[in-house]
Amino acid sequence: AQRVTQPEKLLSVFKGAPVELKCNYSYSGSPELFWYVQYSRQRLQLLLRHISRESIKGFTADLNKGETSFHLKKPFAQEEDSAMYYCAPRGSQGNLIFGKGTKLSVKP
Amino acid sequence: DTAVSQTPKYLVTQMGNDKSIKCEQNLGHDTMYWYKQDSKKFLKIMFSYNNKELIINETVPNRFSPKSPDKAHLNLHINSLELGDSAVYFCASSQTGTGKETQYFGPGTRLLVL
């Protein structure tokens, strides 16, 4: 069964500090992985997908198949980055399998 | 020009009532989903439809019945509402077979059962 683990429920950092939100997955076959972000009381938005290997809002994520990880990183956190972040592989039927989410709080 | 819209945004109702949540997407996508987000912010798939056909039907009580009148709409009807149904329900859509298949989410419907 496909599973995803986000070990940190809450991550609190100061503005300007580096941030890493951890994600580990178990998946048979080639996974397709996403990071979604949910700002306070807003809809979920796609942040990154591993296939595109792009940087959005300063965030990057590298798929490490050896460690089965897809950690989300940003070198300098901003207050507006405060949100819930969800790591999600795509399931075999196309749905997203969400981790429990990590709440990122960036303090001034 | 909202891509995925849901109505209502908020729904407060009594236990035992029947209610519906509507979802519409104007992206021309062929697949739509319903996800439930509980009080701990945990998101889980409930249903998905592809071209009006049920693809995923996770273990949800049969009080929940999705209906897809056409490709652009996926409604969720809930019978005999219970306290545990209180959650935020998100609709999403995607286009399969493009290689991108990003899911676009609606704003959510916050359901509170009293």
Side-chain angles (χ1 to χ4, degrees):
Chain A
Q2 300 129 350
R3 274 202 307 272
V4 59
T5 305
Q6 291 180 252
E8 302 132 334
K9 218 172 161 177
L10 172 65
L11 187 60
S12 190
V13 301
F14 285 102
K15 179 180 164 182
V19 65
E20 182 181 52
L21 290 90
K22 292 187 168 47
C23 172
N24 288 90
Y25 65 91
S26 63
Y27 198 93
S28 52
S30 297
E32 190 180 350
L33 284 143
F34 302 82
W35 275 99
Y36 274 79
V37 60
Q38 186 180 26
Y39 300 101
S40 179
R41 294 194 164 249
Q42 291 189 28
R43 71 183 73 201
L44 279 133
Q45 305 170 39
L46 176 68
L47 183 63
L48 282 176
R49 37 197 312 258
H50 89 272
I51 286 175
S52 55
R53 297 184 64 83
E54 55 196 335
S55 172
I56 304 288
K57 299 185 180 184
F59 285 97
T60 58
D62 285 319
L63 179 63
N64 185 325
K65 288 187 181 179
E67 294 179 2
T68 59
S69 68
F70 188 53
H71 303 328
L72 183 69
K73 298 176 188 178
K74 184 168 181 176
F76 308 104
Q78 303 299 315
E79 286 178 72
E80 55 265 29
D81 295 329
S82 296
M84 280 291 290
Y85 290 81
Y86 293 94
C87 180
R90 185 192 302 287
S92 56
Q93 291 175 301
N95 59 294
L96 292 168
I97 302 167
F98 286 97
K100 293 197 173 178
T102 297
K103 183 174 180 178
L104 175 63
S105 173
V106 182
K107 298 176 185 174
Chain B
D1 266 11
T2 309
V4 183
S5 58
Q6 294 177 228
T7 52
K9 255 188 157 172
Y10 300 95
L11 187 50
V12 182
T13 187
Q14 300 284 337
M15 266 175 58
N17 283 351
D18 303 338
K19 290 291 176 188
S20 289
I21 308 171
K22 296 187 177 181
C23 178
E24 177 181 359
Q25 53 95 3
N26 62 6
L27 297 165
H29 288 165
D30 62 358
T31 305
M32 295 183 74
Y33 310 82
W34 277 110
Y35 290 88
K36 179 180 178 182
Q37 185 178 44
D38 64 22
S39 57
K40 294 182 180 176
K41 303 287 188 185
F42 183 44
L43 273 154
K44 197 165 184 231
I45 183 72
M46 297 175 72
F47 302 103
S48 90
Y49 269 73
N50 177 272
N51 281 317
K52 296 178 16 176
E53 249 188 77
L54 183 65
I55 302 299
I56 297 174
N57 185 357
E58 285 295 301
T59 311
V60 300
N62 56 16
R63 298 182 292 103
F64 289 78
S65 51
K67 281 187 173 51
S68 182
D70 56 58
K71 253 176 40 166
H73 295 85
L74 180 62
N75 303 325
L76 185 64
H77 189 76
I78 316 169
N79 288 330
S80 305
L81 277 154
E82 298 178 359
L83 294 176
D85 298 333
S86 297
V88 182
Y89 293 85
F90 286 98
C91 177
S93 73
S94 69
Q95 179 62 35
T96 55
T98 60
K100 293 188 177 180
E101 298 181 23
T102 298
Q103 289 191 19
Y104 292 86
F105 282 80
T109 295
R110 208 168 275 272
L111 171 65
L112 178 60
V113 182
L114 302 173

